Amino acid sequence: MNKGKIFKLAKGFRGRAKNCIRIARERVEKALQYSYRDRRTKKRDMRSLWIQRINAGTRIHGVNYGNFMHGLMKENIQLNRKVLSELSMHEPHSFKSLVDISRSAFPGNKNVVPAPQKKGLQILV
Amino acid sequence: MSVLSLAASSSSSFMLSSSATCSSSPKPPFSSSSKHPIKTPFVGFSVAPPQKLWIPSTTDLSFNNGGSPRRSFEVFSSKTKDFVRVPLDQRWMFEDYEVDGPDIWNNTWYPKAADHVNTDKPWFIVDATDKILGRMASTIAIYIRGKNLATYTPSVDMGAFVIVVNAEKVAVSGKKRNQKLYRRHSGRPGGMTVETFDQLQQRIPERIIEHAVRGMLPKGRLGRALFNHLKVYKGPDHPHEAQMPVELPIKDKRIQKQK
């Protein structure tokens, strides 16, 4: 019956939500809504985790994530973030060589021309 | 993975034909299994100790890779160098895509219990003398949470332990010494207590740094567990010599109080 299915989905819920049909039905509906939503957010969360791991991995070598990815894009290296994060964890030497490639392609923006300073009251002097 | 290198299985003849998975001869085989963070045991698989040349593992080089899981040459990974074949009598246990080992490139790595044992975590020490409070606390929180490691996982405690000594000498800039307020409330009406930075430093100097770092750690069960990895002491001594703490590398350039 429907109740049987609901209770099957309500396994592990807290308190009466696993035992009593009125409460379990509500909680199961909510759980299914969350799982629908989270199948979509899981993709975002995973990518965010990869980016955090890559960031940590590149900062060990003195480069931050933004500059690293910019350098890779310039060299047309199309490795995706999932693979890059796994490389940073499991293949540190290969990852270091990638960081070096990126650094040579884009050494950072320390040499950028500074924005023109406002003159202010200095003009009057 | 090195755990798998158990006693020689009956298919040892098959093993000899496999490609090189060498145990490093200097150390006794399989004793290094306790040191390797990735301890994902591969079910049902036993690798016979091969009698081949020892090829030095590239991960033996001293490479400070920020806590990435150190893998020995014995580990399998289907797509990189080590290529261990499942023995014939165990092939029935594995699907086609698994015969060469677990897939590590298409699945995001999640740490196993053996990857974050507290006894194997590094310890760091900071001397708080004349360091700006917030900047130091920020770096400490990053190391405690593990965000400096490539193996960072938000749901797992992968961070290190941090010791802070000379807590009573921590500095703040500007007029904060007399103006920064620490408030606490007992829960009852009229139960708010307000103290200045100076007064709290006279009373309980450790609490200042603890308060700062606790505010920078995540709030929740894991955050509370992480907070226990911070050890703050008043004087220059600490009881953790046995953990051999290393100096905490702080990259912030403005952390020293300007005299």
Side-chain angles (χ1 to χ4, degrees), chain B residues 61-123:
Chain B
L61 304 174
S62 62
F63 196 124
N64 182 17
N65 46 24
S68 79
R70 289 161 290 149
R71 303 196 315 154
S72 80
F73 208 78
E74 290 126 333
V75 157
F76 3 57
S77 51
S78 51
K79 311 254 166 79
T80 58
K81 31 195 196 304
D82 316 349
F83 197 54
V84 179
R85 291 225 169 256
V86 179
L88 282 170
D89 58 346
Q90 292 177 6
R91 282 254 168 108
W92 60 272
M93 284 191 235
F94 299 99
E95 302 284 330
D96 285 330
Y97 55 88
E98 277 178 2
V99 287
D100 298 326
D103 185 358
I104 61 167
W105 297 107
N106 287 319
N107 299 326
T108 302
W109 180 77
Y110 192 82
K112 303 280 181 182
D115 295 323
H116 56 98
V117 265
N118 276 347
T119 45
D120 291 338
K121 288 185 181 158
W123 283 67

Side-chain angles (χ1 to χ4, degrees), chain A residues 75-118:
Chain A
E75 291 284 326
N76 196 22
I77 294 176
Q78 288 169 359
L79 290 171
N80 61 2
R81 283 142 183 88
K82 173 167 80 176
V83 159
L84 283 172
S85 72
E86 295 293 317
L87 278 175
S88 77
M89 288 191 284
H90 296 127
E91 303 287 334
H93 296 275
S94 312
F95 192 70
K96 180 168 198 313
S97 59
L98 274 174
V99 171
D100 292 334
I101 292 174
S102 166
R103 210 199 315 249
S104 66
F106 182 66
N109 40 17
K110 292 228 171 105
N111 300 328
V112 169
V113 176
Q117 305 264 329
K118 290 192 188 161

Side-chain angles (χ1 to χ4, degrees), chain B residues 119-168:
Chain B
T119 45
D120 291 338
K121 288 185 181 158
W123 283 67
F124 293 98
I125 183 164
V126 193
D127 186 353
T129 313
D130 286 342
K131 291 206 161 55
I132 300 290
L133 173 65
R135 290 174 187 269
M136 180 182 72
S138 170
T139 318
I140 292 175
I142 287 177
Y143 274 81
I144 290 185
R145 196 164 178 217
K147 291 208 79 174
N148 54 316
L149 306 174
T151 50
Y152 165 69
T153 313
S155 56
V156 162
D157 175 12
M158 305 287 294
F161 287 77
V162 176
I163 307 169
V164 182
V165 290
N166 287 324
E168 74 282 2

Side-chain angles (χ1 to χ4, degrees), chain B residues 208-222:
Chain B
I208 288 180
I209 299 186
E210 288 175 355
H211 185 277
V213 175
R214 192 190 289 124
M216 300 186 185
L217 288 174
K219 324 288 180 286
R221 269 192 246 176
L222 181 60

Side-chain angles (χ1 to χ4, degrees), chain A residues 4-79:
Chain A
K5 281 193 197 167
I6 301 257
F7 282 130
K8 189 154 181 290
L9 289 168
K11 283 196 190 293
F13 285 14
R14 184 186 248 208
R16 279 189 281 160
K18 63 184 180 299
N19 297 329
C20 306
I21 187 60
R22 287 181 170 189
I23 301 169
R25 182 169 282 137
E26 290 176 9
R27 291 284 103 217
V28 163
E29 280 176 11
K30 201 59 180 221
L32 292 171
Q33 287 169 16
Y34 285 145
S35 85
Y36 179 87
R37 174 200 69 178
D38 288 332
R39 278 194 290 278
R40 283 133 183 80
T41 60
K42 183 170 164 187
K43 299 156 179 51
R44 308 177 210 163
D45 294 337
M46 279 294 169
R47 183 169 161 128
S48 152
L49 175 63
W50 300 329
I51 291 177
Q52 289 176 38
R53 284 182 172 169
I54 296 171
N55 206 348
T58 59
R59 277 172 199 257
I60 294 167
H61 301 298
V63 168
N64 58 356
Y65 169 82
N67 293 347
F68 173 65
M69 295 309 284
H70 188 47
L72 288 191
M73 295 302 143
K74 276 193 150 190
E75 291 284 326
N76 196 22
I77 294 176
Q78 288 169 359
L79 290 171

Side-chain angles (χ1 to χ4, degrees), chain B:
Chain B
M1 312 230 258
S2 334
V3 176
L4 328 179
S5 342
L6 302 172
S9 65
S10 59
S11 48
S12 53
S13 60
F14 180 83
M15 275 294 103
L16 285 177
S17 62
S18 72
S19 46
T21 35
C22 314
S23 56
S24 27
S25 46
K27 2 178 205 175
F30 334 130
S31 71
S32 56
S33 59
S34 59
K35 293 278 194 294
H36 289 250
I38 282 195
K39 305 263 186 75
T40 317
F42 200 66
V43 175
F45 199 106
S46 45
V47 178
Q51 299 94 20
K52 296 220 196 274
L53 293 172
W54 176 66
I55 299 174
S57 155
T58 54
T59 57
D60 280 349
L61 304 174
S62 62
F63 196 124
N64 182 17
N65 46 24
S68 79
R70 289 161 290 149
R71 303 196 315 154
S72 80
F73 208 78
E74 290 126 333
V75 157
F76 3 57
S77 51
S78 51
K79 311 254 166 79
T80 58
K81 31 195 196 304
D82 316 349
F83 197 54
V84 179
R85 291 225 169 256
V86 179
L88 282 170
D89 58 346
Q90 292 177 6
R91 282 254 168 108
W92 60 272
M93 284 191 235
F94 299 99
E95 302 284 330
D96 285 330
Y97 55 88
E98 277 178 2
V99 287
D100 298 326
D103 185 358
I104 61 167
W105 297 107
N106 287 319
N107 299 326
T108 302
W109 180 77
Y110 192 82
K112 303 280 181 182
D115 295 323
H116 56 98
V117 265
N118 276 347
T119 45
D120 291 338
K121 288 185 181 158
W123 283 67
F124 293 98
I125 183 164
V126 193
D127 186 353
T129 313
D130 286 342
K131 291 206 161 55
I132 300 290
L133 173 65
R135 290 174 187 269
M136 180 182 72
S138 170
T139 318
I140 292 175
I142 287 177
Y143 274 81
I144 290 185
R145 196 164 178 217
K147 291 208 79 174
N148 54 316
L149 306 174
T151 50
Y152 165 69
T153 313
S155 56
V156 162
D157 175 12
M158 305 287 294
F161 287 77
V162 176
I163 307 169
V164 182
V165 290
N166 287 324
E168 74 282 2
K169 302 205 177 78
V170 73
V172 284
S173 59
K175 298 185 187 168
K176 286 192 270 267
R177 193 163 284 273
N178 302 322
Q179 287 186 351
K180 180 173 170 67
L181 295 178
Y182 286 89
R183 297 163 204 271
R184 58 184 196 278
H185 200 286
S186 67
R188 289 157 153 239
M192 173 113 114
T193 327
V194 182
E195 263 180 314
T196 62
F197 181 95
D198 217 5
Q199 292 165 352
L200 189 56
Q201 205 172 40
Q202 304 300 323
R203 214 163 64 91
I204 309 174
E206 297 93 342
R207 196 180 279 186
I208 288 180
I209 299 186
E210 288 175 355
H211 185 277
V213 175
R214 192 190 289 124
M216 300 186 185
L217 288 174
K219 324 288 180 286
R221 269 192 246 176
L222 181 60
R224 290 190 289 275
L226 292 176
F227 177 70
N228 290 334
H229 294 182
L230 171 72
K231 317 279 182 191
V232 186
Y233 296 101
K234 201 157 72 166
D237 303 317
H238 62 90
H240 304 290
E241 294 297 341
Q243 279 69 31
M244 293 179 292
V246 177
E247 183 73 32
L248 184 77
I250 299 185
K251 286 198 174 158
D252 194 341
K253 291 191 182 64
R254 294 166 67 182
I255 194 165
Q256 279 296 125
K257 175 153 178 87
Q258 310 302 327
K259 289 282 181 223

